């Protein structure tokens, strides 16, 4: 049912693999939560791993993972590793479909509300403990606990009692998840949801070893104390520099794992990672924008679909962006074609709505094509809207405007392009604020920025996943925008069982979001990487997380 269009972007997930013939160090990293970039790390003397007979794959995570607590690390720089050192009930296969993983069997009730998962007898943690249904109950309640403040909690709201508990209006006992015995995990939904097996491939739904976490709440902060259940185990972690994982001999499907070791560096700039790739210090690199034309015909170029987009958020509680006309003026002052052609330069599609390409409706038509262009480059209309908005607010002079972005060469280039366009079209002299990645997201969540960059990667394959981020109070909102009509639309979408009616409601939500414009989109993601000959089996999903279970290196 999915048709993912191939558009080309410097991999937002930017996972850069450092080569097995490496002879030097890699450094540190880049772009955060929403988007990632790269830096590097220490390799081995040429021929050493061949002599030892080990298969060592060198990758780049871009930056320090936000957290290896699966309930907290809700972003690409955490998911990339978590998806390989941990595993949920289901896992994405080579066809991008959710299949049994830690669960060997899934039974669904006739009414579609109750899922019963049978956990594999040989499913074990990296310390040898058996994976139990209780570990899933513990982990999911941990995610939904208001004190955890998990940014992923909203994904579980389709489970009976989950939203009420997360909002402080119910108890943990009311969540309809239970362990009937050590190997039987039962979940009851509020309404039928065919996407459920796909949704729970998200790392936020991974189990947590209850015994380990109860004894040490900081179990996930160091390699020495980390316990996972994935194809690999975390063995080293030099914070802000690198981490390393090795094949997990206790993994239930260890026979399918070909790599012995994966070394992850943290490197920021795409040009640096490309130079390392050229000198055989990396197996894979993203494509620097300035070299995209030169490298577009390379035999080593790999293009993968990526469901997500790059956008900017307005803080609707900060002047002057409390006014929707002023917000729309800024959104319409941006030439998206110009940005993808001259700034990012990797064949991305300009984003003229919030929902990305790749979602086919019950009528067989592409969602994005059906809705059409909701925000376009229109200098005259932008000037008119700015003038009207300023008049409504009584402004003779527009309050000072600051664009904030987290440290990255690509983010800076885009911010400079926006700054130039705001001056050209609106006559606004916007300031730029570069914030260290580790601080940026927490400050954005606390609404400290007036206008700030962001990006979104789909957690599951449905337009709702993107649109539900902007309901009132959502941890993903980060704009302070609240609209009762929009909230009602999202609620209706979740309860609508008629696919045609549901699809129409989704389109209405996309239109309303762009009419109110608490955010303005720039471009839709794709992933372009260079991959060395000999590297194979790396799975990159349009909606999902990099998977190295079947990766190999010759």
């Amino acid at each position: 049912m999915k048709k993912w269009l191939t558009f080309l972007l410097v991999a937002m997930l930017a996972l850069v693999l450092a080569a097995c013939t490496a002879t030097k160090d890699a450094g540190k990293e880049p772009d955060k939560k929403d988007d990632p970039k790269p830096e590097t790390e220490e390799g081995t003397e040429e021929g050493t791993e061949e002599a030892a007979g080990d298969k060592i794959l060198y990758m780049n995570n871009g930056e320090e993972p936000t957290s290896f607590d699966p309930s907290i690390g809700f972003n690409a720089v955490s998911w990339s590793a978590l998806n390989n050192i941990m595993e949920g009930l289901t896992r994405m296969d080579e066809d991008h479909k959710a299949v049994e993983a830690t669960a060997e069997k899934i039974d669904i009730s006739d009414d579609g509300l109750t899922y019963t998962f049978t956990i594999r007898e040989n499913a074990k943690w990296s310390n040898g403990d058996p994976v139990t249904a209780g570990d899933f109950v513990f982990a999911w309640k941990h995610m939904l606990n208001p004190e955890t403040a998990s940014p992923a909690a909203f994904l579980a709201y389709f489970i009976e009692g989950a939203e009420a508990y997360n909002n402080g209006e119910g108890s943990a006992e009311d969540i309809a998840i239970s362990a009937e015995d050590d190997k039987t995990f039962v979940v009851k939904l509020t309404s039928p949801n065919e996407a459920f097996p796909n949704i729970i491939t998200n790392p936020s739904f991974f189990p947590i070893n209850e015994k380990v976490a109860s004894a040490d709440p900081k179990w996930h902060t160091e390699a020495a104390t980390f316990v996972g259940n994935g194809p690999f185990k975390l063995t080293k972690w030099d914070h802000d520099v690198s981490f390393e994982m090795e094949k997990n001999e206790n993994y239930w499907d260890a026979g399918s794992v070909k790599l012995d070791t994966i070394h992850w560096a943290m490197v920021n700039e795409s040009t640096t990672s490309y130079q390392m790739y050229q000198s055989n210090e990396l197996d894979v690199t993203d494509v620097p924008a300035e070299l995209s034309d030169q490298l577009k015909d390379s035999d080593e170029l790999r293009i993968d679909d990526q469901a997500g987009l790059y956008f900017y958020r307005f803080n609707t509680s900060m002047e002057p962006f409390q006014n929707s006309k002023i917000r729309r003026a800024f959104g319409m002052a941006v030439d998206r074609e110009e940005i993808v052609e001259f700034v990012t330069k990797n064949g991305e599609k300009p984003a003229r709505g919030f929902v990305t390409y790749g979602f086919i409706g019950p009528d067989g038509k592409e969602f994005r094509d059906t809705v059409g262009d909701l925000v376009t480059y229109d200098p005259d209309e932008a000037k008119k809207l700015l003038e009207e908005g300023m008049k409504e607010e009584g402004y003779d002079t527009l309050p000072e405007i600051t664009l904030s972005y987290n440290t990255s060469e690509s983010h800076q280039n885009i911010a400079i392009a926006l700054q130039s366009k705001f001056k050209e079209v609106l006559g606004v002299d916007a300031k730029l604020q570069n914030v260290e990645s580790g601080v940026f997201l927490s400050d954005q969540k606390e609404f400290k920025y007036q206008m700030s960059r962001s990006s979104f990667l789909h957690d599951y394959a449905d337009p709702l996943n993107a649109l539900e981020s902007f309901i009132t109070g959502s941890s993903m909102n980060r704009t302070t925008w609240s609209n009762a009509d929009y909230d009602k639309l999202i609620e209706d979408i979740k309860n609508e069982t008629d696919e045609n009616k549901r699809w129409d409601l989704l389109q209405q939500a996309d239109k309303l979001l762009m009419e109110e414009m608490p955010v303005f989109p720039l471009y839709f993601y794709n992933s372009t990487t260079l991959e060395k000959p000999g590297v194979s089996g790396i799975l990159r999903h349009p909606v999902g997380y990099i998977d190295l279970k079947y990766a190999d290196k010759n």
Side-chain angles (χ1 to χ4, degrees):
M1 292 179 64
K2 294 186 289 185
K3 179 181 68 177
W4 297 103
L5 300 182
T6 303
F7 29 98
L8 313 147
L9 146 75
V10 178
M12 181 190 127
L13 282 171
L15 306 162
V16 188
L17 318 174
C20 78
T21 53
T23 57
K24 81 185 230 202
D25 293 14
K28 89 179 272 164
E29 171 359 333
D31 220 280
K32 196 122 194 153
K33 302 21 230 166
D34 315 276
D35 252 45
K37 283 282 142 195
E39 272 194 3
T40 51
E41 243 272 0
E42 188 173 335
T44 58
E45 289 292 54
E46 184 170 358
T48 300
E49 52 184 86
E50 284 13 300
D54 289 343
K55 291 185 176 182
I56 305 176
L57 186 65
Y58 287 85
M59 298 189 64
N60 180 21
N61 197 55
E63 64 184 37
E64 173 80 357
T66 304
S67 177
F68 280 161
D69 176 343
S71 297
I72 300 299
F74 193 62
N75 48 55
V77 294
S78 303
W79 287 337
S80 300
L82 279 171
N83 198 46
N84 293 287
I85 53 178
M86 302 191 82
E87 181 179 82
L89 296 161
T90 57
R91 192 177 191 91
M92 303 294 282
D93 68 7
E94 294 180 359
D95 296 320
H96 315 305
K97 296 179 180 179
V99 297
E100 293 85 353
T102 299
E104 64 179 355
K105 182 182 177 184
I106 305 174
D107 293 312
I108 308 172
S109 62
D110 292 340
D111 60 7
L113 295 179
T114 303
Y115 283 71
T116 301
F117 299 89
T118 302
I119 296 171
R120 298 177 187 276
E121 287 296 330
N122 59 340
K124 294 182 179 180
W125 292 98
S126 54
N127 67 353
D129 290 345
V131 178
T132 69
D135 292 329
F136 281 94
V137 173
F138 178 83
W140 291 20
K141 287 187 176 181
H142 169 67
M143 172 178 63
L144 289 166
N145 189 329
E147 294 183 2
T148 301
S150 169
F154 73 98
L155 287 176
Y157 283 2
F158 51 80
I159 299 172
E160 189 176 292
E163 183 173 7
Y165 174 55
N166 187 243
N167 290 336
E169 300 170 357
S171 68
E173 290 70 31
D174 294 332
I175 304 173
I177 57 176
S178 62
E180 289 193 356
D181 55 49
D182 281 350
K183 294 296 182 178
T184 307
F185 180 56
V186 180
V187 182
K188 185 177 181 182
L189 310 184
T190 56
S191 60
N193 190 334
E194 292 183 1
F196 180 51
N198 184 299
I199 295 171
I200 60 175
T201 64
N202 187 284
S204 306
F205 292 92
F206 288 172
I208 293 173
N209 187 312
E210 181 176 8
K211 183 176 68 175
V212 169
S214 297
D216 179 11
K218 295 183 178 181
W219 65 275
H220 53 86
T221 61
E222 300 293 341
T225 54
F226 186 88
V227 176
N229 68 319
F232 298 91
K233 57 185 178 182
L234 186 66
T235 53
K236 295 179 182 178
W237 190 358
D238 185 1
H239 292 282
D240 294 307
V241 178
S242 67
F243 57 92
E244 195 168 280
M245 52 183 68
E246 297 177 2
K247 179 176 178 177
N248 179 11
E249 66 279 3
N250 286 318
Y251 179 57
W252 67 269
D253 194 22
S256 297
V257 181
K258 301 177 179 65
L259 296 174
D260 295 292
T261 303
I262 306 169
H263 186 279
W264 300 73
M266 302 177 193
V267 176
N268 196 323
E269 304 303 337
S270 60
T271 50
T272 302
S273 65
Y274 175 71
Q275 290 167 358
M276 296 177 68
Y277 179 86
Q278 286 291 89
S279 61
N280 291 323
E281 296 173 67
L282 294 178
D283 290 319
V284 174
T285 184
D286 58 337
V287 180
E290 64 272 18
L291 296 177
S292 58
D293 289 339
Q294 174 184 331
L295 298 171
K296 65 182 180 181
D297 296 322
S298 171
D299 291 338
E300 297 176 7
L301 183 67
R302 171 173 173 166
I303 300 172
D304 294 280
D305 297 332
Q306 182 101 57
L309 80 164
Y310 191 108
F311 66 100
Y312 261 74
R313 301 176 190 264
F314 293 113
N315 187 331
T316 63
S317 295
M318 280 191 182
E319 293 190 85
F321 297 127
Q322 77 281 7
N323 187 287
S324 64
K325 288 184 177 179
I326 294 177
R327 298 196 297 266
R328 288 168 59 201
F330 276 80
M332 296 180 78
V334 177
D335 189 338
R336 291 154 183 81
E337 290 278 3
E338 207 172 70
I339 286 178
V340 298
E341 183 175 356
F342 300 110
V343 182
T344 58
K345 297 190 291 187
N346 274 277
E348 303 90 344
K349 279 188 174 293
R352 299 188 179 93
F354 199 79
V355 175
T356 184
Y357 284 91
F359 298 112
I360 307 303
D363 58 359
K365 297 179 180 179
E366 170 68 57
F367 181 98
R368 186 74 270 138
D369 292 338
T370 300
V371 179
D373 296 340
L374 302 179
V375 51
T376 59
Y377 175 53
D378 190 335
D380 291 337
E381 183 66 12
K383 293 173 185 175
K384 178 185 174 183
L385 286 169
L386 180 61
E387 183 178 339
E388 292 177 357
M390 290 179 65
K391 185 176 181 179
E392 289 178 358
E393 299 299 331
Y395 294 144
D396 293 324
T397 303
L398 197 70
E400 185 176 272
I401 303 298
T402 301
L403 282 69
S404 303
Y405 58 94
N406 50 311
T407 304
S408 158
E409 179 183 19
S410 62
H411 293 337
Q412 180 176 342
N413 291 340
I414 291 169
I416 290 171
L418 294 178
Q419 180 188 49
S420 174
K421 215 62 184 175
F422 294 154
K423 175 64 175 177
E424 174 191 335
V425 175
L426 302 177
V428 174
D429 291 308
K431 293 184 176 181
L432 302 184
Q433 180 186 25
N434 180 359
V435 182
E436 189 274 318
S437 292
V439 175
F440 181 81
L441 184 64
S442 61
D443 281 354
Q444 189 182 66
K445 288 179 178 178
E446 295 175 8
F447 314 116
K448 293 183 179 180
Y449 302 129
Q450 184 187 35
M451 184 193 300
S452 58
R453 73 144 295 273
S454 200
S455 61
F456 179 80
L457 286 178
H458 273 260
D459 309 300
Y460 59 94
D462 192 284
L464 177 62
N465 185 212
L467 297 170
E468 68 182 346
S469 297
F470 298 99
I471 60 173
T472 302
S474 168
S475 62
M476 298 297 290
N477 194 322
R478 303 181 217 157
T479 66
T480 74
W481 180 68
S482 176
N483 183 289
D485 291 337
Y486 189 84
D487 293 347
K488 180 66 164 54
L489 269 175
I490 299 302
E491 181 182 353
D492 290 346
I493 290 166
K494 291 181 177 180
N495 293 322
E496 182 57 66
T497 56
D498 183 296
E499 275 303 302
N500 288 297
K501 292 180 180 178
R502 183 178 183 275
W503 210 247
D504 180 65
L505 292 172
L506 286 164
Q507 294 173 15
Q508 290 180 43
D510 196 27
K511 292 175 183 177
L512 179 54
L513 185 65
M514 291 296 94
E515 286 171 8
E516 287 289 309
M517 203 166 286
V519 297
F520 67 90
L522 291 180
Y523 58 85
F524 296 123
Y525 282 124
N526 66 5
S527 169
T528 59
T529 54
L530 294 171
E531 190 169 280
K532 291 287 186 181
V535 174
S536 63
I538 298 175
L539 296 182
R540 295 180 177 87
H541 306 289
V543 179
Y545 325 99
I546 194 165
D547 191 337
L548 302 174
K549 175 177 176 177
Y550 303 105
D552 201 357
K553 181 177 174 181
N554 297 320

